[in-house]
Amino acid sequence: MSRPVPICLAVLLSCALAPALAQEKQEPLVSDRPDLVESSEVVGKGRVQFETGVLVERERSADERGRTYSTPTLLRVGLSDTVELRLESEGRTVEHSRDRASGERSTVAGYADTSIGFSWHVQDGQGMRPSVAVLASADLPTGSKRVRGEGVRPSLRVVGEWDLPGELQLGVMPGLAVENKDDSGRYTYGIFGAVVEKAFSERLLGFTGLALPQIARSRHGGTQASLDVGAAYFLSNDVQVDTMFSRGLNHRTPYASFTVGLSIRL
């Protein structure tokens, strides 16, 4: 069974190098977890950040019921003060399904593909000018046979973040990605996310957002959309715990999903 070897090796290497790369870290870490909208900030030169969690998704249709478990994981390595390397995977995935008519059950399990990419912090925010980053990545067919994707699938996203009155922050992320499917061939789809964060204290923030991880024609699976709500709590400047609940807005999106996670800056 294939495993996400690149991410495993990168994690071990980063942990080994962390003492040599450590710098003074005054500000709290900025995590990409757990909503769809990524951060416009990068981790900084010589810094390493590890973000992981457990995600449970429930499917509900007229013909079938399903539940999927995964372990989304992201490793971020600062190459400079404005550029970071990103290695990402959905990790171990287990999908259970049950046919409502026959009662027949099935399970598909394996390790998801690995994505490699870069984030470039283009500009800092000031006044009404947003903080901006460009993220380019590619999903590689490195996963287990039963859950592996077809070929290399590139994506490009742009993130803008605005500081608003009342300890609020608005984040918006449009993007494009390419997918390969045996039944519909190679196609391009859109990505869009928007999130509003509220800092309730120095350690606690809450957020709500709209996530459209796929905007596509019906023959390519249609558009997926969900409404998200969640919170993050800082145990220290270098450790964050988070949680999020999502409700699907159409039949193409998981009916409901829930995640808890951890982000650590080394």
Side-chain angles (χ1 to χ4, degrees):
M1 179 179 293
S2 178
R3 297 174 184 267
V5 175
I7 270 200
C8 293
L9 291 177
V11 170
L12 292 175
L13 179 61
S14 298
C15 291
L17 293 177
L21 297 175
Q23 297 180 3
E24 185 179 5
K25 300 180 273 290
Q26 297 294 337
E27 296 296 324
L29 65 82
V30 179
S31 176
D32 281 351
R33 283 195 50 85
D35 58 295
L36 176 68
V37 179
E38 311 285 20
S39 170
S40 64
E41 302 295 330
V42 293
V43 296
K45 184 178 180 179
R47 294 183 177 179
V48 176
Q49 192 161 304
F50 182 68
E51 305 174 12
T52 190
V54 176
L55 173 65
V56 182
E57 299 175 297
R58 296 185 62 185
E59 301 276 0
R60 186 182 289 183
S61 68
D63 302 321
E64 195 175 58
R65 292 284 189 269
R67 183 172 295 179
T68 301
Y69 300 88
S70 60
T71 54
T73 300
L74 169 64
L75 179 69
R76 304 165 62 185
V77 180
L79 303 181
S80 72
D81 288 334
T82 58
V83 177
E84 70 180 22
L85 170 67
R86 300 164 62 89
L87 295 172
E88 189 170 9
S89 175
E90 292 301 308
R92 177 69 174 177
T93 63
V94 180
E95 180 181 349
H96 301 289
S97 61
R98 177 177 63 87
D99 186 275
R100 296 189 66 187
S102 66
E104 182 179 354
R105 299 175 182 270
S106 63
T107 298
V108 175
Y111 290 89
D113 290 345
T114 298
S115 170
I116 183 170
F118 296 90
S119 177
W120 173 34
H121 178 73
V122 178
Q123 69 177 29
D124 295 329
Q126 184 176 6
M128 293 304 296
R129 186 181 71 179
S131 175
V132 176
V134 176
L135 295 89
S137 63
D139 292 339
L140 310 177
T142 59
S144 303
K145 184 176 181 180
R146 300 186 71 182
V147 297
R148 184 186 308 156
E150 296 291 328
V152 177
R153 290 95 65 200
S155 67
L156 181 67
R157 292 157 289 167
V158 178
V159 182
E161 292 181 314
W162 290 262
D163 290 326
L164 304 177
E167 299 296 324
L168 294 172
Q169 184 179 74
L170 170 65
V172 177
M173 186 185 75
L176 292 172
V178 174
E179 184 60 272
N180 300 313
K181 295 290 186 181
D182 291 336
D183 54 352
S184 55
R186 187 176 179 89
Y187 63 90
T188 300
Y189 63 91
I191 302 168
F192 182 79
V195 64
V196 176
E197 295 183 353
K198 165 69 174 179
F200 295 103
S201 70
E202 291 184 355
R203 292 186 176 272
L204 177 66
L205 64 86
F207 63 87
T208 184
L210 176 67
L212 287 83
Q214 176 173 293
I215 305 171
R217 297 180 179 180
S218 57
R219 70 172 182 268
H220 295 145
T223 295
Q224 300 175 358
S226 67
L227 183 64
D228 307 332
V229 61
Y233 184 80
F234 293 93
L235 299 178
S236 72
N237 281 355
D238 298 320
V239 181
Q240 171 194 293
V241 293
D242 62 68
T243 185
M244 184 178 73
F245 175 79
S246 299
R247 181 69 162 83
L249 299 179
N250 60 29
H251 68 278
R252 303 183 183 94
T253 311
Y255 170 76
S257 62
F258 175 75
T259 184
V260 293
L262 174 70
S263 300
I264 301 175
R265 182 170 58 187
L266 303 176

